Amino acid sequence: MARTASTRKLSSSGAGIWPWLGLALVLFILDQFTKTLILGYYRLGDATYITGFFNIVRAHNTGAAFSFLADHSGWQRWLFTAIGVGAAIFIVWMLKSHPGQKLFSFAMACILGGAIGNVVDRMMHGYVVDFLDFHLGASHFPAFNVADSAITIGAICLILDELRRVRRGK
C-alpha cells in the first residue's frame, strides 16, 4: 500500500497524540498527589513558612482563577466543571488534529492535565485545593496549585507558538 504525503508527515512526527496524553497524565498525577498531601497534612487555613516570599497553605477555591465567583451559592461548581470537561474534549480533538506541532501540542497537554486536575477536585470536593502561596510583605498573590501552574505554562506556550507562527508567515 502506498503511503501518502500526509501519512508520512503523521508518522514522521512521532507517535502522534500519545506522548502528549502521557504528559497530561503525568501533570494530572503530580497535581492530584500534591493535593492529596495537602489534604492529608493540613487543615483549612494552615500554613508553613518556607521563605520570605513563599508559604505552603491549604486553601479551598470554589470559584475560578483568582476566586472569581467564589462567593456564589454553588452553581459555579457545575459551570466550571462543564467548562473544564468541554475544554478537555476540545483539547484532545486539537491534539489529534495537530500531532506534529510540538510547542502547540506541549501547550495543549499542559492545559489538559491542569484542567482535568481541577475538574476532579470540583467533582470530588466541591472546590479546588490550592496550596502555593507567594507574597511580598503582607500582599499575597492568590494561592494556586500544580494544575494552575500547568495551565499557565500551557497558555504562555500557546502565545509563544502563535508569535512564532506569525513571524514565520511574514
Side-chain angles (χ1 to χ4, degrees):
M1 180 170 142
R3 290 171 49 162
T4 64
S6 63
T7 305
R8 282 190 300 273
K9 182 179 179 191
L10 284 177
S11 63
S12 69
S13 66
I17 191 173
W18 295 109
W20 307 117
L21 292 179
L23 173 59
L25 178 63
V26 166
L27 292 169
F28 168 75
I29 291 169
L30 180 62
D31 175 63
Q32 291 299 298
F33 176 72
T34 55
K35 290 172 179 174
T36 299
L37 289 174
I38 294 300
L39 290 171
Y41 290 102
Y42 286 74
R43 290 186 311 257
L44 182 61
D46 284 354
T48 301
Y49 172 87
I50 304 297
T51 70
F53 61 88
F54 175 66
N55 301 324
I56 300 290
V57 302
R58 178 172 168 182
H60 298 170
N61 183 359
T62 57
F66 307 110
S67 297
F68 175 67
L69 298 178
D71 57 347
H72 287 258
S73 63
W75 60 266
Q76 70 277 20
R77 171 187 183 185
W78 304 111
L79 173 67
F80 296 135
T81 298
I83 290 170
V85 169
I89 292 167
F90 177 71
I91 289 169
V92 170
W93 177 76
M94 292 296 287
L95 284 170
K96 288 176 105 173
S97 302
H98 305 280
Q101 297 179 16
K102 289 182 180 169
L103 183 57
F104 176 81
S105 295
F106 174 80
M108 290 282 108
C110 288
I111 294 169
L112 178 62
I116 293 172
N118 284 341
V119 163
V120 166
D121 273 14
R122 289 184 197 289
M123 296 301 297
M124 286 179 48
H125 310 296
Y127 53 83
V128 173
V129 177
D130 289 327
F131 58 91
L132 301 170
D133 175 35
F134 286 88
H135 57 89
L136 183 58
S139 188
H140 288 258
F141 188 78
F144 58 99
N145 57 46
V146 172
D148 299 334
S149 300
I151 292 167
T152 301
I153 290 168
I156 290 167
C157 288
L158 274 180
I159 293 167
L160 292 174
D161 183 62
E162 186 59 26
L163 290 172
R164 241 179 38 178
R165 191 178 347 276
V166 167
R167 289 187 79 167
R168 267 188 266 136
K170 288 186 176 185

